[in-house]
Amino acid sequence: LKPFWPKGRAALSQSVGVGPRARCIRALMSSSSSSTSSWTAQATVTASLTAFLYEGFTYNAVFLGRILPALGKSDQVTPLLVVFNIIWGLALWSYLRVSWADPGAVPEEWHEFVRRVGVALPIAPGMKEWQPGKATMCRHCTRARPERAHHCALCGVCILRLDHHCPWINNCVGFGNHKYFLLTCLYALLACVVAFITSLPELVVVTQRLRLAVHGAVDDLDLEPSDEIAFVVFGALAVFISMFVTPLLYFQFKLAINNRTTIEDNYSNMTNPFDQGTSFSNLEQIFGKFGPDWFLPVKPWRPFLDGASFPSSSERHDFDERPLFAGLEDHSRDTEEGMLDKQNGFTGVRSKNWARQSKLTGEALWRVHYHIIEPAYNPADLRKPSTIDYMLGCMQIDCEGNQRAVPV
C-alpha cells in the first residue's frame, strides 16, 4: 500500500481525482485506517489490562495463597498482602484514570474567547518550534488553539499541552491526564519490583522443582504443576514489564522535571521558555501545589494552571519587559523600587507578572497573557453617523483641515 499513499492531502486529490470515485476511495481508505487503529488499540489495551490482572491474581492467589503456606512461610502472607496490594491497587487505579480521563481537549470557553476578541488576538501559524505566548492556528481543525496545544491525528482534536498518543491506554497524554500517566508508570514499576523481589527466593525453588520434575524427580511439597508454571510465568512477566516501563518512566520524568513534552523535546529554535528553574516548580505544573494528592490518581487539589496559558521563564524573574494590557495598573511604580526603576530608565513592568496574572482566571487571564489590546473607547457609546452628521462634519473643517470652533 505504500506506493498508493501520496505525500499530503493535496497529492492524494491529484492521484485519485476529485469526482465521486475519488470520494469513495478516500472514504474507504479512511474507514480502513480507522478500523485498523481501533483493533490495534483494543488489542493493546486488552494486553495491558490482562497483564495487570494476571500479576495481581497470581501474586495473591498462587504465591500468597498456596506457595508460601506450602513452604512453611505463612507468617509472611499478611504483610506482603498489604504492601503489594496497596501498590498494585494504585497502579490499576492510575491506569484506569489515565485511560478514561479527558486528556485536555481545547475547551469551548477558549473558542468563545477567540470569537469575542476577534482580530485583537494575534494568531501565529503552527510550527515545529517553541512559540511561547502565542495562539496558533491548527491546520487540521482550522481553529485557533492556545500555546503548547497540538493536534492528535488519531483522536481528531487539539489537546492542551499534548505529550503523545499512547496506544497502551488508547488515549492521548495531555494536560488533563499527564499526572495519571506518570503515576501509572511509577506504580506499575514499583508493583513489579516489589512482586519480583519478595517472591525471588520462591521463584528459585519452584524453578528448580520444575527442572527436577522434567527428569522424573518428585518431592513431598504439595504444589500443583499448574500453579508452579503460572508462578514462573508471573516472575518472567514482572521482569519484562519492568524492563519496558523503566526507560519509559525515566524518559517521561526527565521531560517533566524540565517542563518539556515529547513533542517539544524536538524543538531547538530557542532554550526552553517554560522552564521554571527547578525540577520541583516544573513538576508543580503537572501535579499542582505539593500535597498528599501528588501520590494519588486524582485531580490536583490546588492547581494554578488552566492548560491554556503557561508562565514563561522570564515571568518567573523580577523583570518582565512585556507590557500588561486589559486595564491592569502597575502599582509598583509608586514604591521606592518603582522610583529607582524610573531613575534608571526602566520602562517595563516591575514585579512578578505571573504572580499578578495568576490571580486572574479564565478570559481575564487569557487577555493579559496573549496581549489582547482593547480599544480606548466604549463601542456601546458609538452610533452610526447620519447624513446630517457627515454634512456638519464637513462644515466644521476649514480649508486647511483644522477644526473650526463650533458655537455652543
Side-chain angles (χ1 to χ4, degrees):
L1 292 176
K2 287 186 178 179
F4 182 76
W5 285 95
K7 296 182 179 179
R9 188 172 297 179
L12 175 61
S13 301
Q14 296 177 3
S15 64
V16 298
V18 295
R21 179 175 177 272
R23 289 194 293 270
C24 291
I25 293 177
R26 284 197 292 267
L28 289 173
M29 290 163 56
S30 177
S31 62
S32 176
S33 177
S34 300
S35 177
T36 303
S37 300
S38 177
W39 279 105
T40 303
Q42 292 178 8
T44 53
V45 170
T46 302
S48 302
L49 281 176
T50 301
F52 266 112
L53 298 177
Y54 181 83
E55 291 291 283
F57 175 80
T58 306
Y59 190 89
N60 287 281
V62 178
F63 174 62
L64 299 180
R66 298 179 183 179
I67 294 180
L68 282 184
L71 296 175
K73 300 180 180 180
S74 300
D75 57 327
Q76 300 180 12
V77 172
T78 301
L80 293 180
L81 178 71
V82 173
V83 172
F84 172 78
N85 283 283
I86 289 177
I87 301 175
W88 179 79
L90 288 172
L92 183 60
W93 184 12
S94 302
Y95 179 83
L96 296 178
R97 286 303 305 271
V98 72
S99 299
W100 295 343
D102 177 14
V106 178
E108 187 59 32
E109 292 79 6
W110 166 265
H111 297 302
E112 293 176 358
F113 162 71
V114 173
R115 287 191 290 268
R116 275 194 293 269
V117 300
V119 296
L121 174 65
I123 301 178
M127 304 180 68
K128 296 180 180 180
E129 63 182 21
W130 295 109
Q131 295 179 289
K134 295 181 180 180
T136 59
M137 179 63 66
C138 176
R139 62 185 181 89
H140 301 281
C141 302
T142 63
R143 306 178 79 177
R145 62 195 180 192
E147 60 180 349
R148 308 188 78 177
H150 296 278
H151 185 87
C152 176
L154 295 177
C155 296
V157 294
C158 287
I159 305 297
L160 299 174
R161 197 183 180 276
L162 176 64
D163 188 89
H164 69 285
H165 184 95
C166 181
W168 298 102
I169 62 174
N170 191 26
N171 198 3
C172 286
V173 177
F175 179 79
N177 63 351
H178 201 169
K179 172 188 175 182
Y180 309 147
F181 182 77
L182 294 176
L183 291 179
T184 299
C185 296
L186 175 63
Y187 288 131
L189 178 60
L190 286 178
C192 290
V193 171
V194 169
F196 182 77
I197 292 178
T198 56
S199 63
L200 182 58
E202 290 72 28
L203 280 170
V204 174
V205 172
V206 171
T207 303
Q208 292 176 350
R209 291 189 74 253
L210 287 176
R211 185 184 303 171
L212 294 175
V214 173
H215 296 85
V218 180
D219 55 21
D220 56 351
L221 288 179
D222 186 17
L223 289 177
E224 296 292 335
S226 58
D227 293 338
E228 296 177 337
I229 295 174
F231 186 52
V232 172
V233 173
F234 154 83
L237 186 59
V239 173
F240 174 78
I241 295 176
S242 300
M243 294 175 60
F244 174 77
V245 175
T246 298
L248 176 63
L249 181 64
Y250 170 78
F251 178 71
Q252 285 294 321
F253 262 98
K254 181 181 178 181
L255 293 177
I257 64 178
N258 288 284
N259 208 335
R260 290 174 175 263
T261 64
T262 303
I263 297 175
E264 294 169 346
D265 195 41
N266 300 311
Y267 295 165
S268 59
N269 62 310
M270 64 175 71
T271 57
N272 184 2
F274 300 107
D275 184 11
Q276 298 303 298
T278 64
S279 301
F280 187 81
S281 299
N282 289 330
L283 285 177
E284 280 189 327
Q285 294 200 355
I286 299 176
F287 290 84
K289 294 295 183 180
F290 182 76
D293 57 304
W294 268 40
F295 308 98
L296 299 175
V298 296
K299 289 185 177 180
W301 294 345
R302 293 184 297 165
F304 60 94
L305 296 178
D306 57 6
S309 57
F310 296 86
S312 65
S313 300
S314 61
E315 289 170 324
R316 67 181 172 85
H317 296 299
D318 287 341
F319 287 91
D320 183 6
E321 297 185 5
R322 298 186 305 171
L324 288 178
F325 300 105
L328 291 180
E329 298 179 357
D330 184 23
H331 300 289
S332 66
R333 314 305 292 176
D334 301 328
T335 62
E336 294 181 1
E337 209 170 34
M339 297 301 296
L340 290 175
D341 291 341
K342 291 180 180 179
Q343 295 177 5
N344 296 330
F346 177 74
T347 59
V349 176
R350 188 72 167 96
S351 78
K352 295 181 180 179
N353 262 351
W354 186 261
R356 174 162 55 241
Q357 294 181 24
S358 62
K359 299 177 183 179
L360 307 175
T361 58
E363 182 173 333
L365 174 60
W366 299 340
R367 286 178 177 272
V368 174
H369 186 72
Y370 291 98
H371 298 177
I372 305 300
I373 305 177
E374 298 290 353
Y377 54 81
N378 185 6
D381 298 336
L382 299 181
R383 62 181 179 85
K384 185 177 180 180
S386 62
T387 305
I388 297 178
D389 292 329
Y390 283 116
M391 295 175 62
L392 291 175
C394 293
M395 294 172 61
Q396 294 171 5
I397 299 176
D398 58 20
C399 297
E400 297 180 357
N402 301 318
Q403 187 173 0
R404 295 172 177 172
V406 180
V408 179

